[in-house]
Amino acid sequence: MMKICDLSIGAYRLKNRVLTAPLAGITDKVYRGILREMGAGFCFTEMVCAKALIYQNKKTHAIMDISGEESFCGIQLFGSEPEEMAEAARMAVQEGAPLIDINMGCPVPKVVNNKEGAGLLRDIPRALRITEAVAKAVDVPVTVKLRKGFAGEGAGLKLALSLPQAGAAALTLHGRDRVDYYSGQADWDCIKWLKEEVKVPVIGNGDIFTADDAISMLNYTHCDGVMVARGMLGNPWLIRDIVAVLGGSPLPQPITAAERLAMAVRHLEGSCDLYGDWLGIRNMRKFLGWYLKGFPKAAKDRAKINTLTDKNEIKEFLLKIGEDNRDKVIEFR
């Protein structure tokens, strides 16, 4: 079994090999706090638009707030212009970011069509110029998160081979093409291949839903770390489980239904504290649906929650469901 605490990116040493992915609308300051408690070795902000950051967009600046997390959280940037990305990276470092990640994997059309995210896989020279500009602009490690290709042509893998020479200190590879979005099965063979081809750390991403999945990816691909994404939606305990098993401990006892919904309530309270009740409740609706996954009458209860606008009513409703199912262990998948 490999050691849990032997992953460094440039001069930055991570707490462990378990990273959480930057997810828009999900990995905000509240959820990152929960993931940190669960033992995550490193987290990222939601992706930050370089152009919006430069033009002083207040919402974008709020996304970049990592105060109190400077030793634990990196800032992910996306953009299409090297100069803008470099300037945004300098601003992120001023906010305390110990690491800058460049998004070259987001499949969303409005991002791709602006030659951002996975759109950069169709313009390798531009992707390399962006990486070089960002790496030269800051004195912290720069990483790149990308997909294996755009539409089956392997462009991401071709790009990945040149990224270290452009200044990337580590690479995170999602084993899907852009056109796949999140469908089908992630290709771990490409992660294994990349690990053999480059000297910088390679972090594997794709289809990690259990602790066994994470260990299997590490053992099969020999990648340096794992990045958890969809598997942690409503299930931050997945991080706890992976860290425990990777560290040689037994798999922790499954949480009960009551414990799961107690966390949902706590998450709701944190969201309302950060955003105010109106926006906090609306931001939480998707999370509450995930926390309820697998419960009896889950669809009916989700529909009910979506009609509630009072924080205390939602809390009471969730706690009642938890009490009704107190000692049950409900599978997340």
Side-chain angles (χ1 to χ4, degrees), residues 257-280:
E259 290 171 325
R260 195 200 295 194
L261 293 191
M263 177 64 81
V265 167
R266 181 181 155 202
H267 194 168
L268 172 65
E269 290 175 333
S271 184
C272 290
D273 287 345
L274 181 62
Y275 301 110
D277 284 5
W278 189 88
L279 183 56

Side-chain angles (χ1 to χ4, degrees), residues 23 27 31 40 92 100 105 116 119 127-128 148 160 167 191 194 253 294 320:
L23 299 175
T27 52
Y31 200 47
I100 301 295
E116 300 165 339
L128 293 173
K148 71 172 184 176
I191 300 170
L194 183 61
Q253 287 294 316
K320 177 64 164 56

Side-chain angles (χ1 to χ4, degrees), residues 109-149:
K110 68 178 182 180
V111 174
V112 169
N113 293 339
N114 283 332
K115 298 182 180 179
E116 300 165 339
L120 288 169
L121 302 180
R122 295 190 293 186
D123 192 342
I124 289 178
R126 179 186 293 268
L128 293 173
R129 290 196 301 272
I130 287 172
T131 305
E132 184 174 9
V134 172
K136 287 182 176 179
V138 297
D139 59 0
V140 302
V142 173
T143 63
V144 177
K145 187 175 188 297
L146 70 166
R147 288 175 173 245
K148 71 172 184 176

Side-chain angles (χ1 to χ4, degrees), residues 22 44 52 73 101 104 127 137 152 164 168 172 195 234 242 257 259 269 288 299 313 323:
F44 288 94
C73 185
D101 188 66
M104 296 188 185
T172 299
K195 174 59 186 171
I242 296 171
E259 290 171 325
E269 290 175 333
L288 297 179
E313 286 184 14
E323 184 62 31

